[in-house]
Amino acid sequence: MSEPAGTAAAIVAAAQRIRQHGDSAPQLARDPVNTPMINNWTEALGDADPRYPELAPPAMVQVWTMRGLHGRRPADDPLGAMTAVLDEAGYTSVVATDCDQSYARYLRPGERLSVRSRLTDVVGPKRTALGEGWFVTTVSTWSVGSGDAAEPVAEMMFRILKFRPPAPPEPPKPPAAPRAVLRPVVNRDTEFFWAGMAAGELRVWRCGECGLLRHPPGPMCPRCNATRPEYLIASGRGEVYSYVVHHHPPVPGRELPFVVALVALEEGVRVLGELRDTDPAGARVGLPVEIVFDRVDDQLTLPAWRPR
Ligand code: ZN
């Protein structure tokens, strides 16, 4: 039975599988233990032990089986297999945490090593300072000779932490593109109407002298010529007095076709606006509607209508 990829259970199952393979096939060193390499090493480390280079420093053991610049990890390498599983599960970062080597004896130039490794432990998920991760432990054994004659000469326990790198900070969101609509011209005579829209009120111009209602607003009362306008707050209910279905041309911010309705308010004046929430076939004269405050942005709220 297989577990969903990437879950802790799937990782544990994969680790179990890889561990059961036991030791990888022996990987034979490219070159035998050799004097030039020993000299390079001891000079670089300032190790003047007189036994070198007739013998090789034991801590060099890993050097002899390095794969080189273009070397490839063998397919049965347990650390490679476990790394792939954890990479896949998002634990893509790595840090070495422990390395213990033990040596059976000194090596001599001319001896050719081979190395095998096995997975011993996969522990996790653990919360660490670096992030959530899994500790992966392998043991490598170096031998001289092959088959039954193979003589183990050194062993290394090597532990890494494969962890999930912290998520990069969210990039700042670009400001939302302003909605493209045809914007009304707001002037001294109409400012109260648009302020009302923004406040969620349908304000209707009313003459301060004779009480006449008019829409759209203007500076002067057409009946008594007074220039002292007030407004009333309309109920926002009315019915469709007339309408058009707009098929063409395209209008910024609108999907075609759309309906523009002239709505006769209960209060008596007529107000234009898009008729929403109904397809064009649903529009008809006399349709009872109510206002919708279509907030475009901080500066603009448009009147629109929907059936009620
Ligand atoms: Zn008037």
Side-chain angles (χ1 to χ4, degrees), residues 205-212 220-227:
W205 189 101
R206 177 170 62 191
C207 176
E209 293 297 331
C210 74
L212 178 79
M220 183 185 284
C221 175
R223 184 161 68 192
C224 72
N225 292 348
T227 53

Side-chain angles (χ1 to χ4, degrees), residues 188-222 228-238 263-272 291 293 303 305:
R188 242 171 42 185
D189 298 327
T190 60
E191 189 279 333
F192 78 95
F193 176 82
W194 297 110
M197 283 288 118
E201 290 176 358
L202 175 54
R203 295 176 181 173
V204 176
W205 189 101
R206 177 170 62 191
C207 176
E209 293 297 331
C210 74
L212 178 79
L213 299 179
R214 68 174 291 196
H215 186 87
M220 183 185 284
C221 175
R228 200 169 62 77
E230 304 168 339
Y231 64 81
L232 69 77
I233 298 169
S235 66
R237 287 187 301 271
V263 169
L265 298 185
E266 289 175 340
E267 290 80 2
V269 296
R270 297 168 193 155
V271 179
L272 267 178
I291 195 159
F293 297 97
W305 304 100

Side-chain angles (χ1 to χ4, degrees), residues 44-307:
L45 269 67
D47 187 340
D49 190 316
R51 286 173 291 183
Y52 310 143
E54 274 65 45
L55 298 174
M60 281 186 77
V61 66
Q62 219 175 345
V63 169
W64 307 118
T65 51
M66 281 183 172
R67 285 186 285 269
L69 191 56
H70 305 293
R72 290 190 158 216
R73 207 183 265 280
D76 67 346
D77 178 75
L79 187 53
M82 200 61 227
T83 294
V85 169
L86 290 167
D87 282 344
E88 185 76 11
Y91 301 94
T92 51
S93 296
V94 65
V95 62
T97 62
D98 297 85
C99 181
D100 276 324
Q101 296 187 344
S102 51
Y103 315 110
R105 65 166 173 82
Y106 285 95
L107 299 172
R108 290 181 188 80
E111 291 185 305
R112 194 155 177 201
L113 298 188
S114 61
V115 65
R116 317 175 65 156
S117 30
R118 64 183 188 275
L119 182 68
T120 59
D121 243 345
V122 176
V123 177
K126 297 277 190 193
R127 297 215 63 80
T128 74
L130 292 170
E132 187 186 88
W134 295 72
F135 289 95
V136 178
T137 308
T138 54
V139 170
S140 299
T141 307
W142 283 268
S143 302
V144 174
S146 59
D148 290 344
E151 176 203 0
V153 292
E155 195 171 78
M156 173 175 75
M157 182 279 286
F158 186 58
R159 182 172 297 136
I160 59 168
L161 171 67
K162 283 286 285 173
F163 62 99
R164 197 189 290 283
E170 292 270 321
K173 282 191 181 132
R179 202 171 121 200
V181 296
L182 295 174
R183 306 184 80 89
V185 174
V186 178
N187 59 32
R188 242 171 42 185
D189 298 327
T190 60
E191 189 279 333
F192 78 95
F193 176 82
W194 297 110
M197 283 288 118
E201 290 176 358
L202 175 54
R203 295 176 181 173
V204 176
W205 189 101
R206 177 170 62 191
C207 176
E209 293 297 331
C210 74
L212 178 79
L213 299 179
R214 68 174 291 196
H215 186 87
M220 183 185 284
C221 175
R223 184 161 68 192
C224 72
N225 292 348
T227 53
R228 200 169 62 77
E230 304 168 339
Y231 64 81
L232 69 77
I233 298 169
S235 66
R237 287 187 301 271
E239 57 184 45
V240 172
Y241 179 82
S242 177
Y243 68 93
V244 294
V245 180
H246 186 102
H247 293 278
H248 193 80
V251 175
R254 301 261 189 253
E255 264 181 56
L256 299 178
F258 63 93
V259 180
V260 177
L262 182 61
V263 169
L265 298 185
E266 289 175 340
E267 290 80 2
V269 296
R270 297 168 193 155
V271 179
L272 267 178
E274 185 181 350
L275 179 58
R276 300 275 183 81
D277 299 344
T278 181
D279 66 82
R284 62 176 172 83
V285 170
L287 181 71
V289 295
E290 64 185 3
I291 195 159
V292 177
F293 297 97
D294 176 17
R295 186 182 165 79
V296 175
D297 54 37
D298 284 348
Q299 276 73 48
L300 180 62
T301 299
L302 292 171
W305 304 100
R306 67 177 170 218

